[in-house]
Structures are given as structure tokens and as C-alpha cells.
Amino acid sequence: MANSADQQSPARHVADSHELIRVQGARENNLKDVDVEIPKRRLTVFTGVSGSGKSSLVFGTIAAESQRMINETYSAFVQGFMPTLARPEVDLLDGLTPAIIVDQERMGANARSTVGTATDANAMLRILFSRLGRPHVGSAQAFSFNVASVSGAGAVTVERGGTTTKERRSFRITGGMCPRCEGLGRVSDFDLSALYDDTKSLNEGALTIPGYSVDGWYGRIFSGCGFFDPDKPLGRFTKRELDDLLHKEPTRIKVDNVNVTYEGLIPKIQKSFLTKDREAMQPHIRAFVDRAVVFATCPDCDGTRLSEAARSSKISGVSIADACAMQISDLAEWIRGLREPSVTPLLTTLGRTLDSFVEIGLGYLSLDRPAGTLSGGEAQRVKMIRHLGSSLTDVTYVFDEPTAGLHPHDIARMNTLLLRLRDKGNTVLVVEHKPETIAIADHVVDLGPGAGTAGGTVCFEGTVEGLRAADTLTGRHLDDRSTLKEKVRTSTGVLEIRGATAHNLRDVDVDIPLGVLVVVTGVAGSGKSSLVHGSIPAGAGVISVDQGAIRGSRRSNPATYTGLLDPIRKAFAKANGVKPALFSANSEGACPTCNGAGVIYTDLAMMAGVATTCEECEGRRFQSSVLEYRLGGRNISEVLAMSVTEAEAFFGAGDARTPAAHAILDRLADVGLGYLSLGQPLTTLSGGERQRLKLATHMSAKGGVYVLDEPTTGLHLADVEQLLGLLDRLVDSGKSVIVIEHHQAVMAHADWIVDLGPGAGHDGGRVVFEGTPTDLVAARSTLTGEHLATYVNP
């Protein structure tokens, strides 16, 4: 007996019993009391239609609570500097580990942010050049385009031993910023006719800059500054007066008994508008900048952003500007070739960082690439780089569609990286739609069955094989395969592109057929976006729907974003004989207690703020008197609570018939957003929903050529079919549709394919195939051809 007892395995340690992350009663957004158990140190994929609650469960509940609890371990002083996170709506969360979120948010709305600055590669390069560069020009900041050179001298008062003496001191900071362009790499020239109307005086509204109206604060400053006559037409200003209006240095003046700083129009515009990334601007500001400002490469630094001194210091004949302009895969080779014992640890770390770029499929980028120009998928992979070589284990990595923007060839590489993170002993949670990534999961959680209020429940939990056998929407569509078209449409003309050289394109000549569905494809970094966005003239008739994020506050909703609320307000106003402004929760009709927000936010300093439903309006956002006005038997709050499908029927017939509103609702239903509530805050929409919302707003634009950038991003397998139907309807109505896409179902459905490659960066930039999908599959001459052939003939 003793012998057999000795052979038994030792009792399991209690610490090893915490093998699950347990979620009970999750109610965040549309989740309906969700209970789920997620195995630790495994790869779990969350799937389901767009809007089914995946992000609410993974990001809004599990990751949010993990980050909130980590923040609470810091002192109250430190928490005061950190974002406050509210506790998610959930009964129990057990077994959480520290979460690292790698999402698809675009990087850097700052014109100074580049791939190098965002990944710390630039910081290491600057140190390297400050140590090895010849001639020696200064410390690391002498190579930074964000640090200006500053010098000064003067008398300082020093107290020593009870006596006060004056000493002369001087200082100098050597920065690497180009003084001409201030480190932006570009200079701006202004079209003065877009800034003002010289036939009018300032008091007559001569300034045509957003926010500079006569009644506004800026307008009052310019009218009351005293440097010129505000009643004199600008065309009759003297040279001195015009210079004061446009270029005057900051000067303290008094306007309406208030001390203010007066500054000329051009420096003021440069500071307020041009320091921001163009994509981060509000639409009307962006339109003004496009109209009024002409950008050109800085002639002094040739776009490198660096001063002449920084560019003069070299290592083996290479300056820091040359290094940052290299393709990262080439830069990694150059770094490996340097032999200098004094900086060996630095070279090793920098080489490892650059190798991570190559490993993750971003070796085609350069460190001087502006961060704002990266696609959502590229931005997400750049964020992954700092985690690849991490020594941390037992943490939870949370990914939001890591395969977005990836060619099927690149998805296999991404899958390997996810498995590597898991095999180090980490819990990997992935929100994903691509069957190639779902297939590698250890555990699958399928949410649904529908989207919005029709979703929010767990339809399936288990293995991939179990999902295939389950009767859920994802299970039924997991092995879907599109077939090639038997007959393709005939083009009605061609769009000629000649000598395209944007970014890595190599003098490309291509004819894009019009009147058909054209798919431009190729591996990530092969030059697709450069060809379509950089070479197709964005003039009359071209409507571009890119991947730029929708910007909106919690007051914005689908009704305000699409312009739907305008005809609805007018219809209510006409039916009741009152002003349309009463039916806006951001204007006269707003509840005075919550200012039309529906909730009252209480700031509790370093503790999580509390949002409570407004007792006055009960969350309806409007004054009680406004809710008495009705249209078709419904008040404005009830209309905003309707889904798109309900509203489509409501405004399509009867007393509430409003053709302008019905047309917008038709387009929303067309792109598969029939379940969305009209008043749902934009901040609660998923990535796929936002992209389709943007597509719906552009469908009414007058133009013959639609350019869509990866419209399948964030779409469930079942929704892709609906998108293809929409693209067919656009083409059949006489439009030309050009789609940048990696999804094989869209390729198979195309009338014509333009395939770029053969590789990425300087290995790409050439057209490797033009023709029908059938010809591409038959030839199998490119990576795309091989993957498409495997897809249609599994």
C-alpha cells in the first residue's frame, strides 16, 4: 500500500486551479447577461456578425476591467494623471490577468509622428548617430526633428555666502529640427483669395476662414485691433496694413476692455490648423485647408525634416535621414553590418526591433513614414512589435481583427505570431471573422444570433470542429466558398493610368475598365493604395470611401452622421407649426438638466466617473414640452429609438411619409444596418458598422466611379454576400466600382482583377496580372492566383 501511495502523483497545488477567466452576468452595451468561461494560456477566438457583442465582451468587459484594476494599484496622485475607467456592467469577473490591448485605432493624429517615433526605433538611431556619426554634431537631440536649436545669453543673479553677485551666463541647445519647415518636412503657401474677399471690409464679413465670423471672438479681435480700418475694403489696404493683417507678430492689445494677443492671419492658421494631421481635422476645416493651402516639400531639408548639421553627420557614408528613408528590411541589413564594440548592446536591440518589423510583414515600410498614413491593419501590427520580444508571460493579449488589411499569404504569418504569443504561456483573445484564423483557435466563442438588440448572447462555446457542426450563423458559413463567375460584364471604357510612380510604384501603366467591378489586390505593401488613391485623379466623378475613422462624440448618432435628422426635424416642425431647432437634443429642444445628453456625468477625480440617467427627461434627452409634438403618432424620442428597418416603414407611408428621410434609410438598410437604432451613439458602433455607415453616406454622392478601400473589414462571413449584392447593384445602375480588397470571395466575384506585386516595398510596385478571375486561377502565376485557386477549388 505504501509503495502504491508513493507512486501516486502529488496533490495539485491550489494555485494551479485558476485555469479559467470566468465572466458571469455581462451586460455591457447589448450583452444579455452573458456567462462564459475562457481557458487561460490558450488562443480563444470570438466571432459573430458585426454588432453581435464581441467587442463589448472582450474589450468593454474583460480588457476594460483588467486595466481598471491595474490602474487602482497606483497611488491616488498617479491615478489623477491616468484616464478614469468605469467598472463594466458585469456581476462577476474571476481569474483576470493583466491585459495588453492591441487594437485597430489609427496611429498618430499628429503631423510629427512617424513609424520611427511611434516604435522607439528613431530614439535608438539618434543615440547611435550621436555616438558614431562623423563629424560629431551633438547629443541625441541634435538628430531629432522635434527639437529646435535654441541659444541665449544674459545676466543671472547668484546668491553665495550671504552676498549677491551678477554673472553672465549663456546656453545653447542643439536640435535637429529644420528651421525652415519646423520639422514637418513640408512648407505651406496660402491662396489669399481663399482667406478673404478683398471687395469687402472686415465688418462686412471679408474673412472666409472657419470660426472667423464678424460676430465671433476672432472676428472681434481683428475688427477692434486698431491696426487698420475695419470698414475699409481689404482690396484698398496699404502694404503695411495688409502685412499687419496677414503676418504681424504676436502683440498684446486690448479689445472690449479685455487683454488679448493679436497675431496675423497666416501664423494663426499655421498654429491652429496646420500642426494637426489632415485626417484628424473636422470635415469643414479639412475642406478649407485643401482649398486655401498648397503644400510643397521643404526645399531646405528636401522633406527629411532635419537640419543641415544633422544630415551632415554620417556613419559609413549614411546619414540619419538616409537611414530613416531606407526600407526597414534594408536598414536591418545595414545595422547588422556595423561592427562597433562600444555600442554593441544598442545595435543588438535596434536590430531586434527592425527584424520584428520584417517578421510581422512590415519590412516594406520606412521609419520616416508618417504614422497617420498607415492603414488600420498596419497600425495594429506596428503596435504588436513592442510585444513580440517581450519577456512577460501569463498576460492576456487582446487583438481586434489582426488580419485586417492582410493578403491570404500574410495571414499565415500573422497566425504564427499569435500562436507564438500563446506558446510563451499567454492568454490570447482575438476578435476575428477570417476562417483561416478561426481555424487555429483552441477555443471559440460565437456570439449572436443577430446584431444589435438581436445579438448579445453566446450561441456556441467550444472547439472549431464543434462550431462547424453547430447550427449557428458562423458555423453554417465557416466553410463557404464562392465560385467564379461564369460570365463577366463588358467594360464601357477605360481609366488610363500612365507612369504612376507614387511611393514604390515603378512607372506603372495600367488601364482600369469602367462600368464593371474591378478588384485591385496584392500582398500588403505591394502598392495597391498608391495606385488607386495616388494615381486615380480625385476629381469630379470619383467618390472615395477609405478606412479613415468616423469621428463623433457620444452626442453623435447614425441620424446626425448621415444627415437623416434634418428632414426628420423639418417634418416634425411642419406637422406641428414650430421651429425645427426644437427637435434637436443639441439645440433648443434639449433637456435643461442634462443639456440633451440623457445622462448626467459626475466626475470623481481619480475614481471612475459615474453616469446616471437624467431624472428630468428619463434619458430621452428632450424637454417634456417637445415630446408633446407628434408626427404619425410618435414623438421625436420614440422615432430616435426606432431601428432603421422600423423607421424605413414609418417614413415610407402614412402621415409620417418623408421621401428625403426614406431615401437615407433605404441606403442604411442596403448596407446591412437595418438593426441599428437611429439614436445609438456612434461611440458604441463596431468597426464594421462604422465602415458601412460611411459607405451609406457616400452612396448618394453624384459620381460615376466608386473607390472602396477594403469594404469587407469587420464583416462577418454571412455579411460579405450582402456586400457583394450591394456592389452588383451599384455596377448595374451604371457606376464603375474599384475595390482594394484581399477577400477571396470579392476577388472571385470581380469582373476584372489587377494584381500588384510580386512582393512588398521595393520588391513590389509592378502589375503582375491583369484579367478576369478565371484567367488568374488558370495561370496560378502569382501569390494571389495560387490562394484564389485553393479557395475556389478546396
Side-chain angles (χ1 to χ4, degrees), residues 330-613:
D330 296 339
L331 179 60
E333 284 293 323
W334 181 73
I335 291 292
R336 270 194 291 275
L338 295 178
R339 296 281 183 269
E340 186 59 50
S342 63
V343 290
T344 297
L346 179 63
L347 290 172
T348 304
T349 307
L350 179 56
R352 195 180 298 133
T353 300
L354 297 174
D355 287 340
S356 294
F357 273 99
V358 178
E359 188 180 2
I360 212 164
L362 294 177
Y364 60 88
L365 295 178
S366 59
L367 294 183
D368 62 2
R369 169 90 173 258
T373 65
L374 298 178
S375 69
E378 285 173 332
Q380 186 170 24
R381 283 182 286 156
V382 165
K383 292 175 195 172
M384 277 183 76
I385 282 166
R386 62 179 64 243
H387 305 303
L388 289 181
S390 171
S391 302
L392 290 174
T393 60
D394 256 334
V395 296
T396 300
Y397 285 97
V398 186
F399 292 95
D400 184 10
E401 288 190 58
T403 60
L406 290 186
H407 187 273
H409 173 70
D410 301 311
I411 290 176
R413 183 186 276 169
M414 175 58 72
N415 285 348
T416 304
L417 293 172
L418 294 174
L419 292 172
R420 258 183 52 197
L421 284 173
R422 178 204 67 184
D423 293 345
K424 281 174 62 179
N426 298 305
T427 305
V428 182
L429 309 182
V430 183
V431 173
E432 189 53 85
H433 294 293
K434 295 277 175 66
E436 299 96 321
T437 301
I438 296 172
I440 66 164
D442 301 307
H443 189 73
V444 180
V445 178
D446 187 22
L447 284 101
T453 53
T457 60
V458 175
C459 301
F460 172 82
E461 207 181 336
T463 63
V464 178
E465 288 309 313
L467 178 64
R468 279 199 172 92
D471 188 27
T472 70
L473 195 61
T474 307
R476 290 196 297 272
H477 288 273
L478 193 58
D479 294 316
D480 274 5
R481 293 291 182 270
S482 289
T483 54
L484 295 169
K485 276 184 175 178
E486 290 182 12
K487 188 178 180 184
V488 295
R489 302 178 183 92
T490 308
S491 67
T492 56
V494 294
L495 184 66
E496 292 185 357
I497 295 176
R498 294 290 178 267
T501 55
H503 296 124
N504 66 330
L505 295 179
R506 302 193 177 187
D507 205 23
V508 169
D509 295 339
V510 65
D511 291 335
I512 296 181
L514 297 175
V516 296
L517 175 59
V518 178
V519 168
V520 179
T521 188
V523 295
S526 59
K528 304 180 298 296
S529 297
S530 301
L531 179 68
V532 176
H533 295 306
S535 307
I536 292 177
V542 177
I543 300 151
S544 182
V545 186
D546 61 16
Q547 287 190 32
I550 286 178
R551 285 182 168 80
S553 68
R554 55 185 171 229
R555 288 179 175 272
S556 306
N557 53 50
T560 57
Y561 183 79
T562 58
L564 171 65
L565 207 52
D566 289 336
I568 291 177
R569 281 198 293 249
K570 286 172 185 170
F572 265 96
K574 187 177 178 183
N576 295 282
V578 292
K579 291 191 298 184
L582 281 175
F583 302 99
S584 169
N586 299 324
S587 186
E588 293 181 28
C591 164
T593 306
C594 63
N595 294 323
V599 290
I600 294 171
Y601 294 93
T602 307
D603 181 19
L604 298 176
M606 77 283 179
M607 295 172 69
V610 177
T612 52
T613 302

Side-chain angles (χ1 to χ4, degrees), residues 208-227:
T208 54
I209 306 164
Y212 285 69
S213 65
V214 185
D215 305 324
W217 181 237
Y218 287 141
R220 284 161 60 193
I221 290 175
F222 279 89
S223 297
C225 65
F227 298 123

Side-chain angles (χ1 to χ4, degrees), residues 666-791:
D666 263 349
R667 292 196 294 273
L668 286 169
D670 255 356
V671 296
L673 294 177
Y675 60 87
L676 273 193
S677 149
L678 302 186
Q680 184 176 340
L682 284 189
T683 50
T684 64
L685 300 189
S686 68
E689 288 169 333
R690 293 182 192 189
Q691 172 125 356
R692 282 180 286 162
L693 186 62
K694 188 189 279 191
L695 179 58
T697 61
H698 284 80
M699 279 173 62
S700 61
K702 291 180 171 60
V705 180
Y706 278 78
V707 175
L708 309 180
D709 193 351
E710 296 188 44
T712 61
T713 300
L715 283 192
H716 186 265
L717 300 160
D719 296 326
V720 173
E721 204 172 313
Q722 184 171 4
L723 176 73
L724 293 176
L726 173 64
L727 297 179
D728 277 342
R729 288 197 296 279
L730 282 173
V731 175
D732 293 340
S733 67
K735 310 286 187 187
S736 300
V737 179
I738 302 167
V739 183
I740 300 172
E741 190 54 83
H742 294 114
H743 202 295
Q744 293 106 316
V746 182
M747 293 182 207
H749 200 74
D751 299 304
W752 192 260
I753 287 184
V754 177
D755 190 12
L756 278 88
H762 57 47
D763 296 327
R766 292 188 289 268
V767 175
V768 291
F769 177 83
E770 289 177 81
T772 64
T774 305
D775 293 341
L776 178 62
V777 167
R780 288 195 180 213
S781 57
T782 68
L783 284 169
T784 305
E786 289 177 17
H787 282 279
L788 186 58
T790 307
Y791 179 80

Side-chain angles (χ1 to χ4, degrees), residues 302-320:
D302 198 24
T304 62
R305 306 169 179 240
L306 292 157
S307 65
E308 189 178 350
R311 287 178 282 127
S312 69
S313 182
K314 297 185 178 182
I315 302 173
S316 304
V318 175
S319 71
I320 191 169

